[in-house]
Amino acid sequence: MSRRSVLIGTGSALPVRAVSNAQLAEQVDTSDEWIVERTGIRNRYIAGEGETTGTLAAGAARAAMEAAGVEPKGIDLIVLATATPDQTFPATATWVQNELGCNGGIAFDVAAVCSGFLYAVGVADSMLRSGMANRAIVIGAETFSRILDWEDRGTCVLFGDGAGAIVLEARDSDDPQAPGILATKLHADGAHNQLLYVDGGVSTTGTAGKLRMKGKEVFRHAVNNLSSVLGEVLDEVGLVATDIDWLVPHQANARILDATAKKLNLPASKVVITVDRHANTSAASVPLALDAAVRDGRIKPGQLVMLEAMGGGFTWGASLIRI
Ligand code: UT7
């Protein structure tokens, strides 16, 4: 018998206010044409008063628990991926735990920026398989609008706010075709800090700071790192790219999604794309896209779903799940 983490529910939450490219162009020197052509983004959601990383995370977690048919008492682990926590401490996960009424289990945040959800899945899966916990909520939640420099058109048009969540349950099975997380691979290379970072922090400037990015260079690294980690995951389980039913990538730029799919020889019809609706929501983007494709019926039980992301650090990773 082997113990596996099985995905039993997904959920998501978005701020109330949607902002189109045309609306953004009223405040920033940009245009709908430029944003659509260079990124594929048409719309993003921006958190308003009272909407925080914590409230969005709790909304996504509630929806995932409802989809899974799980009561708060049944959750003994919450891992929340975010680069925009509500407070420096305690972890936003502990606030979410109290909101949901899951008090008493394990709750902590993971910081790996856009790859945060992949890191959180890797950590939660290890803890479930080791027996430290039995049922986990894994959340990616961000309010990047609050660390954007709204004077920098090269970055402020690219990001949005939101949250996505999944419920994972540890189950024993002998069947190699049983649902569950099959493999996760994670990487980091701290040499690239200055290509994507925030120019503030508690122990340096004492401020939250603003996001800075050298987009072109990040783009180049993203396509190479993503195709390489996807290959690693497939090798680990002895599968090839054409075995994948759905690729659910980090939604940074439609051109990165196209280039990565092409490198793997995956048809575009197998790639879940939400960057047009949500823009880049950092750690929230993969679970938001996953939830969209589960709820609209594209992702079905028995299918093989590959999640992947790359972001600040650099950090990157991929995870293969049988639904
Ligand atoms: O989530 C973490 C991972 N992040 C990413 O994966 C982001 C990766 N990078 C990218 O997605 C792209 O590099 C960007 C979308 C950020 C930029 O696209 P690009 O094709 O690399 O454009 P660029 O930065 O080289 O800028 C091209 C031109 C420049 O003008 P000049 O110098 O050619 O006259 C910019 O000033 O576009 C100009 N520009 C804009 N124009 C209108 C930059 N931002 C804008 C804008 N509106 N918002």
Side-chain angles (χ1 to χ4, degrees):
M1 285 285 208
S2 70
R3 193 168 150 101
R4 272 189 187 179
S5 310
V6 181
L7 194 163
I8 60 167
T10 67
S12 55
L14 291 162
V16 172
R17 189 161 77 100
V19 179
S20 69
N21 292 346
Q23 284 171 297
L24 214 53
E26 288 167 13
Q27 308 161 32
V28 180
D29 179 19
T30 188
S31 65
D32 179 51
E33 292 84 336
W34 190 94
I35 302 174
V36 172
E37 192 189 307
R38 300 288 177 129
T39 71
I41 297 166
R42 293 178 185 276
N43 182 72
R44 76 280 297 135
Y45 291 83
I46 303 290
E49 216 183 305
E51 290 176 319
T52 64
T53 294
T55 65
L56 294 168
R62 270 194 205 98
M65 282 165 66
E66 200 179 311
V70 168
E71 294 296 317
K73 283 191 296 292
I75 300 291
D76 55 5
L77 170 63
I78 299 178
V79 188
L80 191 158
T82 190
T84 47
D86 289 357
Q87 295 167 281
T88 300
F89 80 79
T92 305
T94 60
W95 185 88
V96 171
Q97 187 207 48
N98 189 50
E99 274 293 293
L100 300 176
C102 311
N103 307 52
I106 306 165
F108 61 97
D109 291 357
V110 161
V113 206
C114 296
S115 317
F117 186 73
L118 270 299
Y119 269 68
V121 164
V123 170
D125 178 38
S126 302
M127 292 176 78
L128 289 174
R129 281 189 291 113
S130 76
M132 268 186 93
N134 291 309
R135 214 180 277 122
I137 301 181
V138 185
I139 311 168
E142 304 277 17
T143 44
F144 258 45
S145 63
R146 296 190 172 136
I147 53 162
L148 293 176
D149 175 354
W150 290 96
E151 308 279 298
D152 175 13
R153 68 176 183 171
T155 54
C156 73
V157 305
L158 305 173
F159 295 90
D161 302 331
I166 60 173
V167 180
L168 293 175
E169 181 175 86
R171 287 190 196 158
D172 290 318
S173 177
D174 276 333
D175 177 4
Q177 296 302 313
I181 297 178
L182 306 184
T184 302
K185 295 281 177 189
L186 302 170
H187 294 283
D189 182 354
H192 304 292
N193 179 297
Q194 292 301 305
L195 296 183
L196 178 50
Y197 66 103
V198 166
D199 63 3
V202 176
S203 77
T204 50
T205 61
T207 61
K210 298 291 177 202
L211 181 146
R212 307 290 169 207
M213 177 166 75
K214 295 204 170 77
K216 250 190 197 352
E217 287 159 76
V218 177
F219 191 115
R220 190 167 45 82
H221 283 279
V223 177
N224 290 336
N225 288 344
L226 288 171
S227 31
S228 136
V229 75
L230 290 170
E232 260 184 83
V233 170
L234 289 169
D235 286 350
E236 166 96 5
V237 294
L239 295 172
V240 292
T242 46
D243 293 322
I244 300 171
D245 293 298
W246 293 103
L247 179 66
V248 183
H250 172 49
Q251 309 282 323
N253 185 321
R255 289 187 291 139
I256 297 182
L257 307 187
D258 288 348
T260 312
K262 271 203 191 96
K263 254 196 150 164
L264 284 171
N265 262 330
L266 260 187
S269 57
K270 286 189 168 189
V271 183
V272 175
I273 296 179
T274 51
V275 67
D276 53 336
R277 295 188 252 165
H278 302 151
N280 182 346
T281 56
S282 181
S285 92
V286 169
L288 268 169
L290 179 65
D291 185 53
V294 167
R295 282 177 194 264
D296 69 20
R298 274 179 290 172
I299 294 180
K300 297 183 185 67
Q303 290 186 328
L304 276 175
V305 175
M306 181 76 93
L307 314 180
E308 51 95 317
M310 137 100 193
F314 289 148
T315 56
W316 65 102
S319 184
L320 185 65
I321 307 179
R322 189 177 297 282
I323 301 298

